[in-house]
Amino acid sequence: MKKTFIYSVLTASTLLATSCNKEYLNPSAASEQQVVGDVNGLIALANGLQYRLTIGRASPAYALPTAIGLTTKELKVLNAGNGDEAFLETGGSSVQNPNSITTNLWNQSHLVKANADNILNNANNVQDAGTKSGLIAYASIFKALALGNLANGWEQAPLVVGANATFVPRTDVLKTAITTLESAATALTTPVSANFTSRIVPGIDLANTIQALIARYSIMLGDYDKALAAAAKVDLTKKSSFNFDDTSRNPMFDVVFSNRNVTEPINTDFGLPAILKPDPADKRIAFFFQTSSATNNLGRASFYTANNSAIPLYLPGEIMLIKAEANARKGNLDAAITELNNVLTKTTDIWGIGAGLPAYAGEKTSTAILTEIYKQRSIELFLQGFRLEDSRRFGRPGPGAAGAERTRNWYPYPTTEKDNNTSTPNDPAI
């Protein structure tokens, strides 16, 4: 990140997310009540959200693209000594409850959500309206991202912190994310103050990110009208990103692409089956891979090329393809093709991504168009952590099917949850 902040204030609110009934007090540290009752504490807590979500091997910013990438064959394991990564690559029953990658994704996402809720529940302690609106928007984005992570990997998840918290279906998790974001959009009708923007980690475009995430989670829910309405509000000329530096390093570069010892892309076909193989003229191959070799030293996927590589919260191509998919599923095939062509013929965008391909010339049926949209999502959004959800939503072959394109449908619930929450559901078979 571009600024340094004190993150010790996370400790108090993190206690809420544990199953322990005891409270361990540090006489030299601020109490939770002091932290959330003061604007300075709330801003520090807000900055801590990004730290927890994005820094280190335990972060969702590493766990999500790694777990999803291995499950859907975007990535391959280079060193079998990385056992939990290797189990995800194998899939099926090899992925057990204690798997550290899925456990970190689960635990850290819940902690981010709990800390975001602490900010939202205490935002009224902030007197300055512009600082309050900024805090609400910022915390809402991180809460939604955390909920989206949970809905991506698991069939159910708890929404509240407490003893034996009840699990709800992932559809309710996604609906909560959207409701949170819609409330944040309302809060932003009060302009964010300079006091807030000067003290928060830079990089996130609040207004555009809120609409992009509403569109993302609405398409996952099948609410196509809401997805289209939100996508139309996203300014595709604006960047929104997590920023890093040599101290707070990009986690995928730090763990994966700075050395060839953990994972790397499986091939320059983006791990897609032969029937969906990208056009060799596709300019995104050169964008995402440092070599054209099909088998040797394929990393580094762009966005993970250096310690200070920024990771986008959304891409213009994602928004275009959300519009394409929503229209295709509504039967508006001409509109779907128009949006699909915006991706296929794009030579660049604000992030430098462009396919430079001819317009769509396939069959004008919803099945054919949706298949092409899935293919373009797999390429345009490579290693962004979307492919497992996409694979399920688009009905791609799953475990046990001929030509299976994923090694699991859902992840088992982590041991840390099962051991401390008697409401934990039974694990999915695969």
Side-chain angles (χ1 to χ4, degrees), residues 53-76:
L53 192 80
T54 66
I55 302 300
R57 190 166 188 156
S59 71
Y62 169 77
L64 182 70
T66 297
I68 302 301
L70 291 167
T71 300
T72 60
K73 307 182 182 182
E74 290 177 297
L75 294 171
K76 63 182 178 183

Side-chain angles (χ1 to χ4, degrees), residues 236 270 278-289 302-303 315-318 320-321 339-358 376 379-382:
L236 302 185
F270 300 87
D279 188 321
D282 194 324
K283 293 181 179 180
R284 291 169 297 185
I285 296 172
F287 179 86
F288 283 109
F289 304 111
S302 286
F303 310 124
L315 291 170
E318 179 190 1
M320 296 172 187
L321 289 166
E339 294 295 343
L340 180 57
N341 285 339
N342 287 339
V343 174
L344 288 168
T345 63
K346 175 164 60 81
T347 56
T348 192
D349 60 25
I350 191 67
W351 287 98
I353 305 176
L357 296 172
Q376 295 307 316
I379 297 171
E380 188 85 3
L381 307 178
F382 182 60

